């Protein structure tokens, strides 16, 4: 079991961080996922693809966490809990702006499209694997992916940050 699951941990962390946008919460989520994998390892079907099965567990835990924290504000983090390297080393301003715009564009996507896009593009999963992870038909995977790519292209081609609506100036007499 360990030989099959351990190489997946970096990909699990990457996917969790992309979904939750919080390193600490993502690491906790991966830990919960790995606990469930160990607990239910013997109860899985032998014909299940291990990678799809593990990612399905992570995805379901992430969706539960997102629903649970949907209305809450940002988390309070004690300064002692933040690594010094995170406070000292910063990306260049231009990189930070590109990153912010990309994350805003991803946030503008519906959760269903974002999940499919991340699993296919970032985690390099096949459409069939994504369909198993999300428990949806493969045609739905393809249509959601197509819509997500189109929307990202529209957002990024416009050159306007996705989360910042354009304000219109007008003169008041």
């Amino acid at each position: 079991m360990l030989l099959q699951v351990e190489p997946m941990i970096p990909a699990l962390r990457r996917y969790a961080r992309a979904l939750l946008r919080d390193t600490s919460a993502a690491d906790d989520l991966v830990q919960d996922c790995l606990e469930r994998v160990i607990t239910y390892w013997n109860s899985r079907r032998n014909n299940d693809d291990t990678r799809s099965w593990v990612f399905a567990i992570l995805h379901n835990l992430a969706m539960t966490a997102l629903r649970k924290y949907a209305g809450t504000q940002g988390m309070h983090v004690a300064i002692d809990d933040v690594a010094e390297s995170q406070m000292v080393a910063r990306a260049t301003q231009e990189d930070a702006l590109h990153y912010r715009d990309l994350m805003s564009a991803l946030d503008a996507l519906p959760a269903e499209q974002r999940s499919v896009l991340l699993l296919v593009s970032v985690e390099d999963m096949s459409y069939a694997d994504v369909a198993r992870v999300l428990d949806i038909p493969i045609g739905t995977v393809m249509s959601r992916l197509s819509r997500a790519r189109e929307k990202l292209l529209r957002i990024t081609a416009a050159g306007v940050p996705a989360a910042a609506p354009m304000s219109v100036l007008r003169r008041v007499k």
Side-chain angles (χ1 to χ4, degrees):
M1 175 194 63
L2 185 60
L3 294 174
Q4 291 177 320
V5 176
E6 188 176 7
M8 287 186 243
I9 293 174
L12 291 169
R13 291 180 75 204
R14 188 172 46 242
Y15 183 55
R17 286 179 180 179
L19 286 176
L20 299 181
R21 307 245 340 247
D22 179 353
T23 304
S24 179
D27 288 342
D28 290 344
L29 186 73
V30 171
Q31 180 68 29
D32 292 344
C33 173
L34 293 174
E35 287 177 13
R36 290 196 184 195
V37 167
I38 291 167
T39 302
Y40 297 108
W41 182 259
N42 292 327
S43 64
R44 70 182 178 89
R45 288 175 268 152
N46 289 335
N47 60 351
D48 280 351
D49 175 35
T50 302
R51 188 165 193 240
S52 298
W53 182 71
V54 172
F55 268 89
I57 291 171
L58 180 72
H59 179 79
N60 291 335
L61 288 171
M63 292 302 110
T64 300
L66 288 172
R67 275 187 233 107
K68 182 178 176 183
Y69 298 112
T72 64
Q73 297 294 321
M75 292 178 40
H76 172 74
V77 178
I79 195 162
D80 295 334
D81 294 341
V82 179
E84 186 176 333
S85 62
Q86 290 179 327
M87 293 189 287
V88 176
R90 294 186 52 119
T92 65
Q93 186 175 9
E94 187 175 335
D95 289 343
L97 292 173
H98 288 301
Y99 176 77
R100 185 199 67 202
D101 290 346
L102 177 61
M103 296 316 287
S104 294
L106 282 172
D107 284 344
L109 295 175
E112 300 85 18
Q113 292 177 8
R114 184 174 49 247
S115 294
V116 170
L117 183 69
L118 290 171
L119 289 171
V120 170
S121 301
V122 177
E123 299 306 329
D124 201 28
M125 284 189 169
S126 69
Y127 293 173
D129 288 343
V130 173
R132 278 193 296 274
V133 167
L134 301 178
D135 194 28
I136 57 175
I138 197 167
T140 304
V141 169
M142 293 187 289
S143 65
R144 286 181 183 175
L145 181 62
S146 175
R147 284 190 219 113
R149 286 176 174 164
E150 286 176 18
K151 187 166 186 174
L152 272 181
L153 184 60
R154 276 196 314 269
I155 292 168
T156 55
V160 178
M166 293 185 63
S167 59
V168 178
L169 297 177
R170 59 185 182 153
R171 187 182 342 180
V172 178
K173 294 183 182 183

